[in-house]
Amino acid sequence: MNNERVVVTGLGALTPIGKNVAEFWQGLLKGKNGIVRISRFDPSEFGSQIAGEIKDFDPLERLERKEVKRLDPFAQYALYAAVEAVEDSGLLQYDGLDKHRVGVIVSSGIGGIDTLEREMQKMFQKGPSRVSPFLVPMMIPDIAAGHVAIKYGFKGPNFCVVSACASSAHAIGEAMKMIQRGDADVVVVGGAEAPIIKTALAGFSSARALSTRNDEPEKASRPFDAERDGFVMGEGAGIVVIESLSHALKRDARIYAELKGYGATADAYHITAPDPSGEGARRSMQIAIEDAGLTIDDIDYINAHGTSTKLNDKTETLAIKQVFGDRAYKIPISSTKSMVGHLLGAAGAVEFIVSVLSVINDTVHKTRNYEHPDPECDLDYVPDGPRKVTVRNALSNSFGFGGHNASLIVGKFEG
């Protein structure tokens, strides 16, 4: 590993409250609700009937018709956000760009499950001969990274990290290390998810992981609140462009922030439940802080995993207390999922973008629907926001089924 610093130079987002980064950020600051009754199909037979849907999405606003035709929605979302991030970075205007040194890592927790469900229905109803020859290349989670590379001719390392709801946070961390190893100068990295289909809804409902507050969808995602009853599925994508500082300076790029630290651990405890001791989440945060060369006193904001489930929220709170001690009570903590729902494999990247914006703007958004204090969740979750606060460094947490933990630290860039 070298001592190369890594900076963020491009941002792209597609979420239930904004179809670009600016809309998304303004939605967060306004406390906008993105949770609604599902409209894609009749959800009446399901225990949970609500989700964070993207409304009025037209991929042709940024993509070509021939691209869209053979893309599962998750890959459409990924490519749509990638176009924004790449254009935002100004990367293609740099005449000295070596595309062999540009990597792409785009993650997804469950990939093209919409395509899989549709083609399985064809097979069982009409026979195997009716299954599309594009089933596999539309379904596999790594195809989004492939499409981004094909669109731009980026020929550096290209793959997909899959670790459930920690997927895109792991992707960003691994991209950072890739640059520090000298394997790439630039990485287009993030995650995308399009899980709002019957099969996924049925699976999560059967696992009793989802909120059933169907009569009040706008109040269903309520991280850290005593009356939380499960998470709400969301959809969308978050893509960022990160690069070595030397490369960014060489091309006179606008630098948003510096990606400083990354921690990754496993609970090795249970397939879905977090370790109640908080040990895995605690070590993930501690490793990220150490990797960044910082101390607990340098962290001014935490974008929590904050799923709105009984187990996650109290365990994450406990882990934060273990890491920060008394300082835990002085750090503003918010959950983006309170407004957009849980974007599964895309959540980490979308929330990393929020952390970058918080650093840039010295502003943190509220945790929507935090109304009833929980004795086990007694930190500052910013119930009344947005809040102006100097954010030198932000910590973003992502945890996934299987006991996967990832923490990222982004801070102000100082040349």
Side-chain angles (χ1 to χ4, degrees), residues 118-132:
R118 184 178 64 252
E119 296 302 322
M120 287 183 70
Q121 287 174 343
K122 282 186 189 177
M123 185 180 73
F124 292 130
Q125 293 171 4
K126 301 178 180 180
S129 65
R130 302 299 295 272
V131 171
S132 170

Side-chain angles (χ1 to χ4, degrees), residues 152-412:
Y152 293 110
F154 295 152
K155 297 185 177 182
N158 186 290
F159 55 92
C160 170
V161 176
V162 180
S163 52
C165 303
S167 295
S168 53
H170 276 130
I172 293 170
E174 293 303 317
M176 172 189 175
K177 296 304 177 183
M178 182 188 297
I179 292 171
Q180 291 178 338
R181 286 196 304 268
D183 294 339
D185 297 323
V186 183
V187 184
V188 180
V189 58
E193 207 78 88
I196 304 174
I197 64 165
K198 290 183 177 182
T199 300
L201 186 65
F204 281 122
S205 291
S206 294
R208 299 182 181 178
L210 300 178
S211 171
T212 57
R213 197 183 288 257
N214 298 317
D215 295 334
E216 296 180 300
E218 72 281 359
K219 291 182 175 291
S221 186
R222 43 196 318 112
F224 305 106
D225 186 86
E227 295 187 2
R228 65 191 184 276
D229 71 327
F231 76 83
V232 179
M233 278 201 301
E235 62 179 350
I239 304 288
V240 299
V241 175
I242 65 172
E243 57 190 292
S244 68
L245 175 58
S246 60
H247 190 272
L249 293 176
K250 188 183 298 183
R251 69 181 188 89
D252 196 27
R254 177 200 49 226
I255 296 173
Y256 282 119
E258 182 173 356
L259 175 54
K260 296 183 177 181
Y262 167 49
T265 65
D267 282 359
Y269 173 76
H270 189 271
I271 58 171
T272 57
D275 181 346
S277 75
E279 192 254 355
R282 170 184 61 78
R283 287 195 305 112
S284 179
M285 289 185 271
Q286 288 174 329
I287 292 169
I289 293 169
E290 181 179 346
D291 187 48
L294 301 176
T295 71
I296 59 172
D297 293 325
D298 297 314
I299 306 300
D300 296 315
Y301 169 62
I302 299 173
N303 188 286
H305 188 52
T307 58
S308 186
T309 62
K310 288 291 186 183
L311 294 179
N312 172 87
D313 293 1
K314 72 176 184 179
T315 303
E316 186 173 11
T317 296
L318 174 61
I320 291 170
K321 292 177 183 178
Q322 291 171 347
V323 173
F324 291 94
D326 290 341
R327 181 167 168 73
Y329 292 89
K330 302 175 183 178
I331 302 175
I333 302 166
S334 56
S335 172
T336 304
K337 294 179 182 71
S338 66
M339 289 178 245
V340 301
H342 193 342
L343 274 59
L344 307 181
V350 167
E351 291 159 13
F352 177 76
I353 290 170
V354 175
S355 300
V356 171
L357 294 170
S358 298
V359 166
I360 295 169
N361 295 289
D362 286 322
T363 303
V364 301
H365 71 74
K366 70 185 291 183
T367 297
R368 183 182 169 92
N369 296 323
Y370 183 76
E371 300 170 334
H372 306 93
D374 181 339
E376 294 183 290
C377 299
D378 59 349
L379 300 179
D380 178 6
Y381 305 111
V382 196
D384 300 309
R387 183 185 302 174
K388 294 294 290 184
V389 56
T390 300
V391 183
R392 297 167 298 164
N393 299 287
L395 169 67
S396 181
N397 285 330
S398 297
F399 312 131
F401 280 4
H404 311 298
N405 307 304
S407 297
L408 298 166
I409 292 178
V410 61
K412 291 189 185 302

